[in-house]
Amino acid sequence: MLGSVFYILNIIFFIGLVILIFSPIFLGVPFMPTHKKQAIRMIELAQIKSGMKVVDLGSGAGRLLFLAAKSGAQTLGYELNPFLVLWTKLVILVTGKQDKIKVFYKSIYDANIKDMDVILMFLYPPHMKKMVKKLQEAKPGTIILSYAFALPEWQLIKKEQGIYVYRR
Ligand SMILES: C[S@@+](CC[C@H](N)C(=O)[O-])C[C@H]1O[C@@H](n2cnc3c(N)ncnc32)[C@H](O)[C@@H]1O
């Protein structure tokens, strides 16, 4: 019995690993978490406070989600790598953050960003170009932070430690 559970867990782990390795081919963005120091700085720069609504577009393993939730925000993540979605859901469950963090297996282009106070992202240039149009759905005043890559055509408010800050 224990042997077959172990066998199934091994298969799940192997499938997850394959998805993780090959997802860049399908998604155009490999999974790479925002560096811890910069992730913390993103939350500070966004001035995230209790009750704010925050979304991470391409939430990966959830680093930004958990940091934003720690500051009291209601956080949403959108992610297309099923392994990372499952992992994030598991950590949410284990840490008891179900009331603060939700993660969806859904494309960032289908994300509901209309009510968000803060939008976080760490995506690569081809996505940044497409984001220019998508971000028109955000309400005026929304703070947008992008790690590593700039949003073409958007007026930059601030750049620090590779973090680009914008306001819709
Ligand atoms: C560079 S990682 C950043 C992860 C996380 N935001 C962080 O800062 O730690 C980008 C993530 O975007 C995800 N991604 C790429 N294209 C996507 C899409 N169309 N919809 C949802 N997620 C996507 C990738 O699977 C990857 O996990």
Side-chain angles (χ1 to χ4, degrees), residues 20 23-24 26-35 39 42 56-65 78-82 84 104-110 120-124 127 130-131 147:
L20 198 64
S23 64
F26 307 110
L27 299 178
V29 186
F31 167 57
M32 187 187 281
T34 301
H35 294 109
M42 277 174 98
D56 182 13
L57 297 175
S59 53
R63 173 169 281 174
L64 293 170
L65 298 179
Y78 289 85
E79 175 57 58
L80 270 187
N81 182 323
L84 294 172
F104 301 103
Y105 173 58
K106 208 171 182 183
S107 169
I108 50 179
Y109 300 106
D110 297 323
L120 307 170
M121 64 183 93
F122 174 16
L123 299 165
Y124 291 166
H127 281 289
K130 292 192 211 162
M131 270 296 137
Y147 180 52

Side-chain angles (χ1 to χ4, degrees), residues 8-167:
I8 291 167
L9 282 177
N10 259 331
I11 290 178
I12 293 172
F13 181 78
F14 179 73
I15 293 171
L17 205 64
V18 169
I19 292 170
L20 198 64
I21 291 167
F22 290 101
S23 64
I25 297 167
F26 307 110
L27 299 178
V29 186
F31 167 57
M32 187 187 281
T34 301
H35 294 109
K36 190 137 190 220
K37 189 176 158 212
Q38 279 78 6
I40 292 168
R41 190 63 190 138
M42 277 174 98
I43 305 302
E44 288 168 358
L45 286 170
Q47 299 185 336
I48 293 174
K49 293 180 201 73
S50 188
M52 282 171 91
K53 290 183 182 171
V54 177
V55 64
D56 182 13
L57 297 175
S59 53
R63 173 169 281 174
L64 293 170
L65 298 179
F66 285 92
L67 283 172
K70 210 170 156 188
S71 298
Q74 292 293 332
T75 63
L76 300 181
Y78 289 85
E79 175 57 58
L80 270 187
N81 182 323
F83 183 65
L84 294 172
V85 173
L86 272 178
W87 172 258
T88 309
K89 281 184 186 288
L90 187 72
V91 181
I92 291 170
L93 201 71
V94 169
T95 54
K97 297 268 185 230
Q98 298 94 319
D99 57 332
K100 285 277 173 211
I101 308 172
K102 287 195 169 41
V103 64
F104 301 103
Y105 173 58
K106 208 171 182 183
S107 169
I108 50 179
Y109 300 106
D110 297 323
N112 183 357
I113 59 169
K114 289 187 184 80
D115 306 329
M116 294 297 133
D117 299 301
V118 176
I119 298 174
L120 307 170
M121 64 183 93
F122 174 16
L123 299 165
Y124 291 166
H127 281 289
M128 299 307 281
K129 275 190 194 158
K130 292 192 211 162
M131 270 296 137
V132 169
K133 187 164 173 246
K134 174 71 186 171
L135 290 170
Q136 301 301 329
E137 294 170 20
K139 64 181 181 189
T142 302
I143 298 293
I144 299 159
L145 291 99
S146 171
Y147 180 52
F149 297 102
L151 269 171
E153 300 163 32
W154 276 65
Q155 177 88 46
L156 187 67
I157 297 179
K158 191 175 190 168
K159 184 188 172 196
E160 196 189 302
Q161 295 181 35
I163 303 161
Y164 297 80
V165 185
Y166 305 89
R167 188 189 297 273

